[in-house]
Amino acid sequence: MLEIKHLSAGYEGEQTLHDINLTMQPGEILCIVGESGSGKSSLIRAITGYKGLQVTEGSICFGGQELMRGKRACANGVMGREIGLIPQNPEGSFNPIRTFEKQFREMFASHGMSMEEAQIEGAFETVGLQDYKRILKSRPYEMSGGMNQRIAIAAAMLLSPKLLICDEATSALDVTTAQLVMDELLQMRRDLGTGILMVTHNLGIAKHMADRIAIMYQGELVEIGPCQDVIDHPQHAYTKQLLESAPRMSA
Amino acid sequence: MTKRKQLLIRIIICATVAGLIVLATMFASFLAPNDPYATSAAAIRQTPSAQYPFGTDNLGRCIFSRVLYGGRTTIGATFLLVAISFVVGTLIGMLCGYFGGIADRLLMRIADVALAFPQMVIAIAVAGILGGGIFGAMLALGITMWISFARLARSHTYSMKNQSYISAAILAGKSNWYIITRHIFPNLLAPLLTNGLTQIGVTMVGISGLSFLGIGVTPPTAEWGAMINEARAYIQLSPWAVFFPGLAIAVTIIVFNELGDLVMDYREM
Amino acid sequence: MKRTVKRVLELIVILMILSFFTFLLMYLAPGDPAEKRLVSQGVVVTKEVLDAERERLGLMKPFFIRYGEWLFGVCRGDFGVSFKDDMPVGPKLLAGLANTLQLAGASMLLSLLISIPLSIVAAFRKNSIADHIIKLFAFLGNSLPNFLISVILMYFFCIHTKLFPIIATGSLQGLLLPALSLSIPISGRFLRQMRQEFLMQISQDYITGMCNRGVKRRYIVGNVLYNSTAHVLNIVALQVGSLMTGSVVIETIFRWPGIGKLVMDSITARDYPVIMGFVLVMGTVYVVINQLVDVCMGCLDPRIRMESEGHHDKA
């Protein structure tokens, strides 16, 4: 489904990704683990077509379609229904001075979908939000950052994309809500065959969710393999170090 | 780093062109091939030639020479006006910001009120009533021009005054005069000069605009706006009489505006 | 409510200062109004005629009484009589203002029609060829004085190709060229500032968020426009002054019978009551527009509204 070949990219003057090769199957859950500055976010930005990031080499294919060379993924209609993103700081992702209702309507209209309140209610419940009617009538600037985050997560899920990318999305949530979101993600995979690409520095979450784990270090993909293999038999020195420094799981 | 260098190179090029324009008009008396005020019935509305590089106007005057001399009027008046506004505005703003008190509040209130009015509308009325003459036009524009300098100088002085090194200087028993001339003024100079640079284009448009309307310079004084106004009456007969002063004013304003923009960008980097 | 009262009071104070300044200007104007009046009417000036005229014009009274009488008249719409033809100034100004508003309104409309779409294109395609061309146009429009632009336009469209009449009469065809001349420099400034504003909006997180949700371009443009309404209004208000100045120049060139042409004719004729009326009318229009825009800005962006209400509560 997702195929990344020899990808190198970076910001002005600074290379942050070196020769990344990665494939994902439909319905797979892949966790990318690495410390801050390891290039996890750059990789996601390369896939979603972030403007500031310049791809210098390689290709990214999604469902046989190439998403590349400066052309934003959102410009060729991939973002939303095909690839969904829950960004690292989702609280600012709605226009602060327009009502959620209008913005949801535009979002659905953009994908030729009709807005169904029952669906919205359900999605809001999975992120722990009650009273969806009141929320739809209000504007983001009137709400707390936490509320905005949850609504953004619900919005990404509502579009039920084929591949959902989560960039540390649950790190800002409280534990119970995070658990709800995790469960919902697993549910989506089961019901709809949604593939999930998760970026995290939390090995515990990775172990809990992932089919495969990829380890990133200094802009390179140093190790990738089935979850249990990577944890039990780490190959790369950095992975060993990472596993040792992580608090022991109750195995 | 490289961007900064590129910008610097562009500033130098722009400043050189601006300098050349200023020099050309300053030395108009050496460069002009003909007397700009000499009329000649034999050479009315001639097309550009070796003797008259930009042709002649309705009275047979050499347009090239008039453009050079006209530049001296336009640019000279602009520089003089910006310089006077700079000195007056800076002085007032600095003293207000430094000493504060009633005078400060009063002057800044005056500045607020003056900015609440359409400045060029007032300038047209004032210049019109004063009845022509370049000094009338300058006075009309100068009524409001000092304000931008005064505001800038005041706000910078005010924020500087509350910084520790000024307090230290006061505690060390330095005189107010010493602090203002040694600490405050040198730090004000860069933003104020930038502001002065950006005012040049606006002022030039103002002065030539008033002259164009016939309430700036008195004829037959050569001035770009006035020349365009005189020549537009017979533009179908000799378009060059409008074209060359127009080109001169366009190029000059563009160069000074660009220089102002570039310096602003450079300072913001 | 309190804020409204405060604003109205502020407005009144500013208008009082304007009227005082206008009166002072005429008072200080070189020469004797009575003499000027007689001269402009072509009467032979003798001592007796002059004194009689002074008495008749009320010039012998003290300054403040004259100011008071004049202000009282102005408040009732009586701007005095013209020196030139003894006609009341009020109707003259009104007729001129109506024509000027036509021209100014058309120019403003034209400027917005030019600059909003172009600045959207420039901002959404930053650093593209289109953006560079638009930036160049903005720079030129911003730099070139409006009298030069109108003379050039006149040469090409009226004299060279004879597409338009030289003297703008009341017709729509006659309005187009003056309006265009007036709107080019203003569009230049609009383009610059609006492009900046739209770029600022585009760099906001919510745009990235919308892109990531795959929201269509036209909705994104709509959101950008919606969020920048208040600032665009402010940008427009900043150009009201240059619209007024510009109309004086353009009306003189195209002989459009507006208030600007009226004042230039009056300056030539030394017709002081008309000049006073002009300053007062233009000043009032300007001040009122600016105050109105200030109020509207607050209403348009709920965040600004909240902030200012917050301030008010503290005050």
Side-chain angles (χ1 to χ4, degrees):
Chain A
M1 180 171 57
L2 180 72
E3 204 172 356
I4 298 173
K5 282 183 191 158
H6 303 295
L7 178 73
S8 296
Y11 303 95
E12 218 169 303
E14 188 198 2
Q15 189 91 346
T16 51
L17 292 174
H18 307 280
D19 196 25
I20 305 280
N21 288 289
L22 185 72
T23 28
M24 268 185 82
Q25 302 305 317
E28 188 184 5
I29 298 184
L30 176 70
C31 277
I32 299 178
V33 184
E35 59 192 8
S36 5
S38 61
K40 297 171 299 187
S41 291
S42 294
L43 181 58
I44 284 179
R45 287 176 163 183
I47 299 170
T48 58
Y50 183 79
K51 262 183 292 184
L53 187 82
Q54 286 152 4
V55 175
T56 46
E57 223 188 313
S59 68
I60 303 173
C61 281
F62 181 80
Q65 187 190 354
E66 191 162 338
L67 316 171
M68 277 292 303
R69 299 271 177 228
K71 185 135 179 149
R72 297 207 61 181
C74 79
N76 48 32
V78 171
M79 292 306 291
R81 281 291 269 168
E82 303 285 321
I83 300 178
L85 174 70
I86 301 175
Q88 202 163 11
N89 302 305
E91 69 263 23
S93 67
F94 280 93
N95 183 345
I97 59 173
R98 298 187 71 220
T99 60
F100 283 109
E101 184 169 8
K102 283 183 185 144
Q103 302 194 52
F104 271 98
R105 223 174 263 289
E106 285 177 358
M107 177 180 87
F108 285 118
S110 298
H111 298 291
M113 297 159 80
S114 61
M115 184 163 126
E116 277 159 43
E117 300 214 337
Q119 247 188 331
I120 293 181
E121 186 177 10
F124 277 15
E125 268 167 17
T126 55
V127 292
L129 291 173
Q130 271 84 43
D131 201 1
Y132 75 98
K133 280 199 170 135
R134 194 181 56 82
I135 293 173
L136 284 181
K137 290 268 176 287
S138 44
R139 297 159 209 268
Y141 80 96
E142 300 163 334
M143 314 272 254
S144 69
M147 294 275 258
N148 274 307
Q149 262 173 13
R150 295 175 194 201
I151 295 166
I153 293 172
M157 288 176 163
L158 269 168
L159 290 170
S160 45
K162 290 183 183 143
L163 172 68
L164 187 58
I165 302 176
C166 307
D167 188 358
E168 308 262 16
T170 53
S171 62
L173 297 175
D174 58 85
V175 187
T176 42
T177 316
Q179 192 59 49
L180 274 174
V181 172
M182 298 291 169
D183 292 346
E184 178 63 21
L185 288 176
L186 291 172
Q187 182 83 29
M188 277 174 81
R189 194 253 293 255
R190 238 186 339 259
D191 297 349
L192 307 165
T194 308
I196 294 167
L197 180 64
M198 271 193 111
V199 167
T200 179
H201 52 242
N202 186 336
L203 265 175
I205 290 179
K207 212 170 147 188
H208 172 69
M209 302 274 295
D211 300 325
R212 284 194 300 157
I213 290 184
I215 309 287
M216 284 195 76
Y217 181 60
Q218 291 188 346
E220 285 178 51
L221 198 63
V222 293
E223 190 158 353
I224 183 163
C227 185
Q228 215 55 46
D229 283 9
V230 173
I231 288 170
D232 294 343
H233 310 289
Q235 304 293 316
H236 196 268
Y238 173 71
T239 318
K240 288 176 189 161
Q241 196 190 330
L242 190 71
L243 284 165
E244 271 164 28
S245 59
R248 273 270 146 237
M249 301 290 147
S250 51
Chain B
M1 197 51 205
T2 46
K3 264 194 173 169
R4 209 178 153 80
K5 248 181 198 160
Q6 268 178 9
L7 207 54
L8 199 61
I9 291 169
R10 283 171 68 191
I11 288 177
I12 291 169
I13 293 171
C14 227
T16 314
V17 176
L20 285 177
I21 293 173
V22 173
L23 281 179
T25 54
M26 261 172 69
F27 292 102
S29 44
F30 296 104
L31 295 171
N34 301 297
D35 179 355
Y37 297 107
T39 57
S40 155
I44 284 173
R45 295 194 294 270
Q46 284 193 353
T47 48
S49 63
Q51 197 196 346
Y52 301 110
F54 289 174
T56 60
D57 68 6
N58 214 16
L59 298 172
R61 294 175 294 194
C62 171
I63 292 173
F64 181 64
S65 309
R66 283 181 72 75
V67 166
L68 286 175
Y69 275 88
R72 192 148 76 174
T73 317
T74 313
I75 295 176
T78 302
F79 275 37
L80 189 62
L81 182 52
V82 173
I84 292 172
S85 308
F86 180 97
V87 172
V88 172
T90 307
L91 211 60
I92 291 176
M94 220 157 54
L95 295 179
C96 282
Y98 189 77
F99 292 108
I102 294 175
D104 175 37
R105 260 177 288 162
L106 190 71
L107 271 161
M108 287 306 127
R109 209 67 216 141
I110 291 176
D112 282 345
V113 171
L115 287 185
F117 299 131
Q119 292 162 33
M120 269 305 276
V121 167
I122 303 239
I124 287 172
V126 171
I129 286 162
L130 292 178
I134 191 75
F135 288 103
M138 283 168 65
L139 182 67
L141 291 168
I143 291 175
T144 48
M145 191 183 267
W146 62 276
I147 294 171
S148 69
F149 291 99
R151 289 190 142 195
L152 201 65
R154 183 188 174 273
S155 68
H156 278 268
T157 309
Y158 191 77
S159 60
M160 255 185 273
K161 199 189 152 191
N162 296 325
Q163 276 169 12
S164 48
Y165 70 96
I166 300 286
S167 320
I170 294 172
L171 287 176
K174 303 285 187 195
S175 70
N176 289 329
W177 171 250
Y178 180 90
I179 293 169
I180 288 177
T181 51
R182 289 297 170 85
H183 290 302
I184 290 180
F185 185 67
N187 285 315
L188 277 178
L189 207 54
L192 281 169
L193 282 176
T194 314
N195 183 48
L197 209 51
T198 56
Q199 292 285 344
I200 288 176
V202 183
T203 312
M204 221 174 265
V205 173
I207 284 182
S208 56
L210 289 178
S211 298
F212 177 86
L213 286 173
I215 47 181
V217 297
T218 34
T221 310
E223 199 281 341
W224 291 339
M227 287 171 74
I228 295 172
N229 186 36
E230 284 164 28
R232 83 187 158 98
Y234 48 91
I235 188 172
Q236 70 273 35
L237 300 174
S238 54
W240 55 87
V242 170
F243 178 75
F244 287 109
L247 188 70
I249 197 166
V251 168
T252 311
I253 290 170
I254 285 172
V255 165
F256 277 104
N257 275 357
E258 177 72 6
L259 189 61
D261 281 1
L262 288 174
V263 171
M264 284 253 269
D265 287 350
Y266 186 76
R267 279 177 41 77
E268 273 166 20
M269 271 174 91
Chain C
M1 195 51 217
K2 251 188 203 163
R3 263 173 63 216
T4 322
V5 173
K6 204 181 147 217
R7 271 191 189 284
V8 171
L9 280 179
E10 226 175 74
L11 194 67
I12 291 172
V13 169
I14 289 182
L15 289 180
M16 284 296 289
I17 296 173
L18 177 71
S19 71
F20 184 75
F21 174 78
T22 313
F23 191 80
L24 189 70
L25 194 64
M26 294 302 146
Y27 188 79
L28 295 178
D32 176 9
E35 193 179 335
K36 265 175 248 154
R37 184 184 149 84
L38 292 174
V39 170
S40 77
Q41 288 176 341
V43 178
V44 183
V45 184
T46 61
K47 181 90 175 66
E48 292 79 46
V49 180
L50 201 60
D51 278 344
E53 187 70 14
R54 278 185 184 146
E55 190 63 48
R56 200 175 71 79
L57 291 172
L59 294 178
M60 311 300 246
K61 291 178 196 163
F63 174 79
F64 278 102
I65 291 181
R66 280 172 57 199
Y67 170 63
E69 283 175 351
W70 174 77
L71 190 64
F72 187 65
V74 165
C75 290
R76 287 178 313 165
D78 174 13
F79 287 84
V81 291
S82 163
F83 283 178
K84 200 165 61 178
D85 50 12
D86 269 332
M87 299 289 281
V89 173
K92 277 190 179 194
L93 290 172
L94 210 62
L97 191 63
N99 283 324
T100 299
L101 283 181
Q102 254 180 36
L103 176 63
S107 312
M108 188 50 94
L109 200 68
L110 202 59
S111 309
L112 291 174
L113 285 178
I114 295 172
S115 49
I116 291 182
L118 286 184
S119 41
I120 289 268
V121 170
F124 274 88
R125 304 215 185 288
K126 194 186 171 191
N127 291 333
S128 67
I129 296 169
D131 183 28
H132 287 301
I133 293 171
I134 290 167
K135 259 162 53 185
L136 182 70
F137 172 73
F139 182 74
L140 288 180
N142 196 18
S143 294
L144 297 182
N146 49 15
F147 63 84
L148 186 59
I149 291 174
S150 25
V151 171
I152 292 171
L153 284 180
M154 197 173 205
Y155 179 67
F156 278 106
F157 288 105
C158 302
I159 294 165
H160 217 68
T161 58
K162 297 198 169 58
L163 280 173
F164 293 96
I166 295 179
I167 296 170
T169 44
S171 69
L172 194 65
Q173 202 191 12
L175 180 62
L176 190 65
L177 213 51
L180 188 64
S181 320
L182 194 46
S183 63
I184 288 176
I186 291 175
S187 305
R189 269 161 244 162
F190 278 177
L191 274 174
R192 246 185 153 180
Q193 293 168 337
M194 286 181 190
R195 177 179 173 275
Q196 203 62 36
E197 165 65 19
F198 293 150
L199 277 178
M200 200 277 286
Q201 290 292 342
I202 290 172
S203 71
Q204 303 275 303
D205 283 349
Y206 75 88
I207 296 292
T208 318
M210 291 177 97
C211 278
N212 287 336
R213 288 192 296 276
V215 174
K216 285 232 164 77
R217 178 57 68 86
R218 62 165 183 276
Y219 295 122
I220 293 182
V221 172
N223 275 276
V224 166
L225 281 175
Y226 182 88
N227 282 25
S228 41
T229 321
H231 284 115
V232 167
L233 192 67
N234 196 28
I235 290 168
V236 169
L238 283 176
Q239 293 308 318
V240 170
S242 39
L243 200 60
M244 288 179 165
T245 323
S247 68
V248 175
V249 174
I250 304 294
E251 285 170 8
T252 310
I253 294 174
F254 289 93
R255 305 202 190 171
W256 183 263
I259 200 168
K261 175 153 190 324
L262 180 68
V263 77
M264 287 318 297
D265 293 346
S266 306
I267 284 173
T268 322
R270 312 239 134 241
D271 194 349
Y272 286 4
V274 180
I275 307 176
M276 279 163 100
F278 167 79
V279 175
L280 213 53
V281 166
M282 291 306 237
T284 309
V285 170
Y286 183 86
V287 171
V288 169
I289 287 179
N290 272 300
Q291 288 275 338
L292 276 179
V293 166
D294 253 18
V295 174
C296 287
M297 286 261 297
C299 301
L300 279 170
D301 190 330
R303 285 170 302 183
I304 297 177
R305 188 166 61 212
M306 221 167 55
E307 274 167 31
S308 52
E309 272 162 16
H311 274 297
H312 176 59
D313 287 344
K314 271 177 232 155

